[in-house]
Amino acid sequence: MARKASLSGFPEWLPQERLVELHVLDTLRRTFELHGFSSIETRAVETIGQLLRKGEIDKEVYGLHRLQAEDDPGAPDQDKLALHFDLTVPFARYVVENAGYLAFPFRRYQIQKVWRGERPQEGRAREFTQADIDVVGDGELPFRYDVELALVMAEALSALPIPDFRIRVNNRKLAEGFYRGIGLTDTAGVLRSIDKLEKVGPEKVAELLQEELGATPEQAKAALQLAGIRTEDTSFVAQVRALGVEDELLEEGLAELEQVIGEACRRVPGKVIADLSIARGLDYYTGTVYETVLVGHEQLGSICSGGRYDALAAKGNRTFPGVGLSIGVTRLVMRILGQQLAAASREVPTAVLVALANDDSWSQAQDVAAALRSRGISTEVAAKAEKFGKQIKYADRRGIPFVWFTGHSDDGTLTHEVKDIRSGEQVPADPELWMPPAEDLAPRISATGTA
Amino acid sequence: MARKASLSGFPEWLPQERLVELHVLDTLRRTFELHGFSSIETRAVETIGQLLRKGEIDKEVYGLHRLQAEDDPGAPDQDKLALHFDLTVPFARYVVENAGYLAFPFRRYQIQKVWRGERPQEGRAREFTQADIDVVGDGELPFRYDVELALVMAEALSALPIPDFRIRVNNRKLAEGFYRGIGLTDTAGVLRSIDKLEKVGPEKVAELLQEELGATPEQAKAALQLAGIRTEDTSFVAQVRALGVEDELLEEGLAELEQVIGEACRRVPGKVIADLSIARGLDYYTGTVYETVLVGHEQLGSICSGGRYDALAAKGNRTFPGVGLSIGVTRLVMRILGQQLAAASREVPTAVLVALANDDSWSQAQDVAAALRSRGISTEVAAKAEKFGKQIKYADRRGIPFVWFTGHSDDGTLTHEVKDIRSGEQVPADPELWMPPAEDLAPRISATGTA
């Protein structure tokens, strides 16, 4: 990323960089579809009323206005339009609106751009792509989906050209039950303080708990002890029990988190860990919460977060509990490109350039190209019969590996040869049969190993 | 499309409808990449100054403002942000900004949403997807690309589940040279009047030409005679010549259009026709212009338009001439869905549901699912060990064709059977080997033949 975005916070990629992003997007889509998630998209805009539905928006939101329209002072503010700042709130609206047409539990993936008017910084853009998976039930949703979603995301992230990662999992019931058990009743307040742990450190959080929430030093200490527990297996259960707190909700949370970590240990060892410091700022989570860091890139922040929400979407008495995770695709791609963690093998899809011997042979060259394309070989035809050296240079500058030459034999029949311009080897070839080596068929994205 | 969008002009699709849209998008991408076009995306926003660069905007534009920011009266209007209303203007900016990093002629495709605050109506949304291809040169661009782009689009459209189509091609040089040749010097004015031909009819256009542009009745008649010429082959050349007008620019335009139609006749007979009434409103076209109608759906308007622009992008003295075409994907998809021209064979990607005999077998069922997924078979695992009838119903409601059952033989080894729930046939199967029939592997989109 030698170039700077011409508009701060709105990154744009060169064609060879876009190939890396496309690879990430294609890989995620493929993994999600293999696990039976359906694609949906929602509109880029929501009404401000809809965005405010879950209380104050803690994200910077872009409002919309029509340049050519006089202001319509009669339109209430809540009906005005704004760009969505995540894909969860729009999805909740979509589920409620289309409940009659969906089969529950409904599994969907959604890969779209979102916008936040925040100050751009490393890993944080104003326009960025999120890739979300959620499962939403009608009235109830088995806990098993909380386990499954961690496994799907571990598989999806493992398929990307990124460094090793850890999905850190906690459970709101566990935390809230524990706080209640030690006599701290403003559990949301405690969670907000604990959420600052990584930023301000344990001493400061202990102060906050005592000064703002009236905790005793012992209560603050116990809350911080809980937050200090982090295990790769289910041994966190014994560690929590050793703190000697008894509470029904705590037990429920322990059992749930144990299910997630226990199954993940078996299927994706080391990738999914229990981390009882994870709080997640947003209020709508009610059980499992997830965050994900890249090992060695922890300061980048979470690249995949989410959780269980039992009451995000509701229609009258009917509720739609769900669990979901969201990957910050742009944050990942910025890091991959910025630190050259992966690169494309060439910058264009083209595998073959059909050269022109003379300007009249363009149509004939299109016949050759059509034959190659019919077997999935991306092919361009030269636009002008320049010297062959110039036509080969056209291919070379783009990384197109093969140049095709058509001539005439003595008896007037067409002859075909294809040149690998990397090795210089040129061999006779039949446009109806020839195939490039599999690794040259399309650009490949590979980790560069500099991570 | 039984449902109405909850926000007029902002369509959203159900999962099975989205599969049709995805099929259209995938087909276009594949065709463009087979022809060597590189993918790029540009940011959704441009500065208002950038959008106004080519003169007044004749589209309704959505401006952006940050809800949480106090208004900054110091920021000049032209630096304020707005959503892009097409992909051509942003592409021109991208080319100028990144010229040093691109290999020219640069072939790119771009598939993104755009926004226009116009009154929503049949075939016209406020948020919609465009799929563009362009080739841009540095200083010069051979005319052959004008021919090639018509052929690529004919191939792309032929691969979609849509009714037959006609790409109508004209040439600004031909029209302007002709008008000049008959003594009408305000050629842009004549083009604007001719552009209204389909809306208001020839009598009204003749009036306009005489009243607004001072044409004589003979001049108006000649202009209308030219606009009446429409041929499937290159016979338009003789028809134009028969009108007895002589002009150098006219000859140049005739020769160019003859190249397009001549080659298209050979390669895609009947798909690309000469239609000398095509004007295209936008001012930046300088040669070839294209419009496309679906046969039997002409009132839907053009579904694929574009042309040659010699001066859209420039950097100092350096100009980047280009030629491009843009498909109105949302307009096409709205028509496909609204008239049920095509449908998906099922509404989820899932091919197999692995049933649970008891709740403890979930992890084992995940092993079966992982084995199937490793061969590209989209698989879900039941979340609860409900009665088999209920698990089969889960699959049936979504159109999942196969349900997998795992049991134990007398000696304790696992046994596997797979049931095709459409036929009821159930057979032993090996999770490491079994494949569904090719047509069941993924949802297929097919034309329903009701068109």
Side-chain angles (χ1 to χ4, degrees), chain A residues 187-364:
Chain A
T187 56
V190 183
L191 275 172
R192 270 197 302 275
S193 305
I194 293 293
D195 206 18
K196 296 177 182 149
L197 199 50
E198 212 148 344
K199 242 185 231 164
V200 302
E203 288 79 17
K204 184 73 192 156
V205 170
E207 262 181 57
L208 284 173
L209 288 171
Q210 293 173 66
E211 285 166 17
E212 294 184 2
L213 297 161
T216 65
E218 291 70 32
Q219 286 172 326
K221 187 182 165 205
L224 283 167
Q225 280 179 317
L226 183 77
I229 295 172
R230 184 187 286 197
T231 68
E232 287 206 5
D233 54 25
T234 56
S235 59
F236 72 92
V237 179
Q239 292 188 33
V240 174
R241 293 243 163 79
L243 298 177
V245 177
E246 284 189 15
D247 180 275
E248 208 179 311
L249 194 61
L250 166 62
E251 286 306 315
E252 203 180 307
L254 276 173
E256 288 189 355
L257 187 55
E258 190 177 19
Q259 272 195 66
V260 175
I261 304 300
E263 186 67 25
C265 271
R266 271 193 291 283
R267 309 198 73 82
V268 283
K271 300 294 185 196
V272 181
I273 65 174
D275 183 335
L276 305 200
S277 72
I278 300 301
R280 299 300 305 150
L282 280 167
D283 278 332
Y284 52 65
Y285 295 120
T286 51
T288 308
V289 283
Y290 315 90
E291 278 189 11
T292 309
V293 290
L294 292 186
V295 177
H297 302 256
E298 288 80 2
Q299 82 299 347
L300 185 62
S302 177
I303 52 118
C304 176
S305 314
R308 156 75 68 149
Y309 43 91
D310 278 333
L312 184 63
K315 190 178 189 171
N317 286 334
R318 197 171 165 195
T319 59
F320 301 94
V323 57
L325 278 154
S326 175
I327 295 182
V329 173
T330 300
R331 180 173 285 190
L332 270 181
V333 171
M334 284 172 91
R335 180 52 56 117
I336 293 172
L337 296 175
Q339 303 202 352
Q340 294 169 293
L341 304 177
S345 60
R346 62 176 186 255
E347 65 180 83
V348 293
T350 320
V352 180
L353 173 72
V354 181
L356 294 185
N358 57 67
D359 265 318
D360 294 337
S361 61
W362 189 79
S363 186
Q364 199 175 73

Side-chain angles (χ1 to χ4, degrees), chain B residues 94-379:
Chain B
Y94 177 96
V95 165
V96 170
E97 281 180 9
N98 297 295
Y101 300 91
L102 303 173
F104 292 97
F106 175 49
R107 307 159 71 84
R108 83 88 173 78
Y109 75 92
Q110 186 169 353
I111 303 179
Q112 283 185 258
K113 300 226 167 78
V114 305
W115 294 267
R116 295 181 190 175
E118 290 160 12
R119 180 183 298 278
Q121 49 182 282
E122 169 82 23
R124 180 168 294 177
R126 292 184 149 182
E127 174 178 64
F128 56 100
T129 300
Q130 290 194 327
D132 284 27
I133 52 173
D134 286 81
V135 183
V136 166
D138 182 0
E140 54 125 31
L141 184 74
F143 180 76
R144 225 142 216 173
Y145 289 110
D146 294 46
V147 184
E148 188 192 354
L149 260 63
L151 299 176
V152 175
M153 275 307 193
E155 188 175 323
L157 293 170
S158 297
L160 298 180
I162 55 172
D164 198 13
F165 61 89
R166 296 285 178 277
I167 302 179
R168 300 168 171 174
V169 192
N170 194 3
N171 190 297
R172 282 269 170 98
K173 294 177 189 170
L174 190 166
E176 291 181 20
F178 184 89
Y179 304 150
R180 215 169 59 177
I182 58 172
L184 289 172
T185 48
D186 181 2
T187 55
V190 181
L191 275 171
R192 270 196 302 277
S193 305
I194 292 292
D195 205 19
K196 297 176 181 150
L197 199 50
E198 212 148 344
K199 243 185 228 164
V200 302
E203 289 77 16
K204 184 73 190 152
V205 170
E207 261 180 57
L208 284 173
L209 289 171
Q210 293 172 65
E211 286 168 17
E212 294 186 2
L213 296 160
T216 66
E218 291 69 33
Q219 287 173 325
K221 188 183 163 204
L224 284 166
Q225 279 179 315
L226 183 76
I229 294 173
R230 185 186 286 197
T231 68
E232 288 204 5
D233 54 22
T234 55
S235 59
F236 72 91
V237 179
Q239 293 188 34
V240 174
R241 292 244 164 80
L243 297 177
V245 177
E246 284 189 15
D247 180 276
E248 208 180 313
L249 194 62
L250 166 61
E251 286 305 315
E252 203 180 309
L254 276 173
E256 287 189 355
L257 187 56
E258 190 177 18
Q259 271 197 66
V260 175
I261 304 301
E263 187 66 26
C265 270
R266 271 193 291 281
R267 309 198 74 84
V268 284
K271 300 294 182 195
V272 181
I273 64 174
D275 184 334
L276 305 200
S277 72
I278 300 302
R280 302 297 306 149
L282 281 166
D283 278 333
Y284 53 66
Y285 296 121
T286 50
T288 308
V289 284
Y290 315 90
E291 279 190 12
T292 309
V293 290
L294 292 185
V295 176
H297 302 255
E298 288 78 3
Q299 82 299 345
L300 185 62
S302 178
I303 52 123
C304 176
S305 315
R308 156 75 67 146
Y309 43 91
D310 278 332
L312 184 62
K315 190 176 189 173
N317 286 333
R318 198 171 164 195
T319 60
F320 301 93
V323 57
L325 278 154
S326 174
I327 296 182
V329 173
T330 301
R331 180 174 286 189
L332 270 180
V333 171
M334 285 172 90
R335 179 52 57 116
I336 293 172
L337 296 174
Q339 303 203 352
Q340 295 170 292
L341 304 177
S345 58
R346 61 176 187 256
E347 64 181 82
V348 293
T350 320
V352 179
L353 173 72
V354 181
L356 294 185
N358 57 66
D359 266 318
D360 295 337
S361 60
W362 189 81
S363 185
Q364 200 174 72
Q366 287 288 348
D367 292 335
V368 172
L372 296 175
R373 288 182 196 125
S374 73
R375 292 193 303 287
I377 305 167
S378 173
T379 306

Side-chain angles (χ1 to χ4, degrees), chain A residues 13 33 63 65 94 359 378, chain B residues 13 33 63 65 94 144 359 378:
Chain A
W13 309 127
E33 291 182 351
H65 57 275
Y94 177 96
D359 265 318
S378 173
Chain B
W13 310 127
E33 290 182 351
H65 56 274
Y94 177 96
R144 225 142 216 173
D359 266 318
S378 173

